[in-house]
Amino acid sequence: MLLTADTLLTGRELLRPGWIDVSDARVGAVGAGTPPRPADRDLGAVTVVPGFVDTHVHGGGGTNFSAALRTDTATAVDFHRRHGTTTLVASLVTAGPDDLLRQVTGLAADVRDGLLDGIHLEGPWLSTVRCGAHQPALMRDPDPEEIDRVLKAAAGTIRMITIAPEREGARAAIERIVDAGVVAAVGHTDATYDQTRAAIEAGATVATHLFNAMRPINTREAGPVIALLEDPRVTVELITDGVHVDPALYRHVSHSAGPDRVSLITDAISAAGMSDGAYQLGPLEVDVVDGVARVSGTPTIAGSTATMDHQFRFAVQHSGLGRDEALMAAVRQASINPTRALGLPDSGLVARASADLVVLDADLMVVGVLRRGSWVFEAERGN
């Protein structure tokens, strides 16, 4: 299947016009200008980008990944695919030991079946001081035996584990996690600058939703944000939903960290795609008002109701760059950088990569999604 479009971004270059040849669920070739043969389909005045990669998402479409039920997982995945997410890593919030094992075991089967692309444990080894939308009573120090049990149950499907560096045994846990081939992330933390530096030296390479649920920057104690930002080995997650991070902060981080170190995430919960109301995030009750989720009865933000296409549009709009430069940067942040950070297969539109792409209209709204060479969403077109 050969597709043509007015604009095509591969993740490495911008082609205008561009074409892409898809064969056996993979990209055969891409190019600019006239294609090597007549197109099977001319997509027209659209922008084609690599499929979005969400490495931090708890649910959507009314369901949570923490339920670890195939039907619930499939509902959430289908919802996010319709918004351009072709690679999805399911995130789990803090849970008790037995529940955590049950959840990991259930989701591991979904990873093996290709429904999910991995599991992210956002807890339980986090700071109660920076608990955010996690249950403090269930948080605990990382125990080597529990870590081993969880990793064994996952059988290679866990991609990332978030940990607070100041917890007792955190450094040894990070080393254990990294030795198992899993990415260690720093988040939900009240760590000092030096404690965060120690975690990075131990092998941590991702900052879980930078700024949020972290000790803030202080003139006399730089804290985790500065330690994570200044180290070129660290990829920093940002929730660009217009609620978690101010546009000026997004621009500052993008410009200071450079093109390869920012990863856009949704941190979406079950309320994504749903109306305002009452929802659950793990064991906690969440209220959504005007699209903003908060732990019930508190001002604490509880994840987001956003999708990756929303994050992408925010990035383009608030980058401070020209249109083409902004598109190139957003593609890296929404597709290329997340896969590199977690060691996932190349998400760029390049030869031999999976044929995952998103078709965007002039307003950057999703009008088509191709995953592994098959259309999983096509918007209805007017007459």
Side-chain angles (χ1 to χ4, degrees), residues 56-59 64 93 122 131-135 188 209 212-213 239 241 243-244 266-272 277-289 291-306:
H56 189 147
V57 51
H58 297 281
N64 281 309
V93 295
E122 190 186 13
C131 60
H134 291 248
Q135 177 56 261
H188 284 272
H209 46 52
N212 297 113
I239 310 171
D241 62 345
V243 176
H244 285 77
T266 62
D267 198 16
I269 65 171
S270 61
Y279 295 88
Q280 290 284 132
L281 179 58
L284 296 180
E285 294 182 356
V286 174
D287 293 326
V288 178
V289 178
V292 179
R294 301 184 189 276
V295 176
S296 184
T298 79
T300 302
I301 297 174
S304 87
T305 61

Side-chain angles (χ1 to χ4, degrees), residues 71-84:
T71 53
D72 285 12
T73 297
T75 296
V77 169
D78 179 68
F79 166 74
H80 284 290
R81 282 183 184 168
R82 293 171 65 86
H83 288 272

Side-chain angles (χ1 to χ4, degrees), residues 212-232:
N212 297 113
M214 282 187 182
R215 176 197 288 243
I217 300 169
N218 184 284
T219 54
R220 288 172 294 280
E221 168 49 60
V225 171
I226 296 300
L228 294 162
L229 266 179
E230 71 180 5
D231 196 299

Side-chain angles (χ1 to χ4, degrees), residues 239-320:
I239 310 171
T240 52
D241 62 345
V243 176
H244 285 77
V245 176
D246 186 89
L249 269 182
Y250 164 70
R251 284 193 296 275
H252 174 74
V253 172
S254 295
H255 296 170
S256 62
D260 300 321
R261 292 185 52 215
V262 174
S263 176
L264 305 185
I265 60 166
T266 62
D267 198 16
I269 65 171
S270 61
M274 308 296 286
S275 59
D276 286 0
Y279 295 88
Q280 290 284 132
L281 179 58
L284 296 180
E285 294 182 356
V286 174
D287 293 326
V288 178
V289 178
D290 295 331
V292 179
R294 301 184 189 276
V295 176
S296 184
T298 79
T300 302
I301 297 174
S304 87
T305 61
T307 50
M308 281 299 293
D309 56 330
H310 175 92
Q311 317 297 71
F312 185 87
R313 288 190 294 273
F314 180 101
V316 173
Q317 179 182 356
H318 296 289
S319 68

Side-chain angles (χ1 to χ4, degrees), residues 41-52:
R41 184 169 176 182
D42 178 17
L43 298 173
V46 298
T47 297
V48 174
V49 299
F52 300 138

